[in-house]
Amino acid sequence: MSKTFYEVVLQDGTEIEFDADGEWDSVDCIRSAVPAALIPGAIAEYVQINFPSQVIVKIDRETYGYEIELSSGLELRFDKNGKFLRVDD
């Protein structure tokens, strides 16, 4: 079964993927911070406490929850409630 996605690339290089329902699936801001309104509160709080000098530059919705990438290149996984799961390899 294939899913339909739409990809939009903004002038600043930000890439946003939308699903067939128009909901964002992935936001990649390359080097700048993902807009705070898109980041679940628990994830934003975890990053602010544990990685205060980093910003979230990419966020993906996954079946288990979220995968984010920090400005350092480190990738973290969170469940649907924003609970930290692990550092992704």
Side-chain angles (χ1 to χ4, degrees), residues 29 41 45 48 50 66 72 77:
C29 293
E45 183 177 344
Q48 184 178 23
N50 294 283
Y66 298 90
S72 65
R77 290 186 178 212

Side-chain angles (χ1 to χ4, degrees), residues 37-69:
L38 299 179
I39 303 168
I43 294 174
E45 183 177 344
Y46 181 89
V47 170
Q48 184 178 23
I49 290 168
N50 294 283
F51 302 94
S53 64
Q54 302 292 312
V55 295
I56 298 171
V57 296
K58 183 176 181 181
I59 186 166
D60 288 311
R61 284 187 178 150
E62 303 290 346
T63 54
Y64 59 82
Y66 298 90
E67 181 177 327
I68 66 161
E69 182 179 331

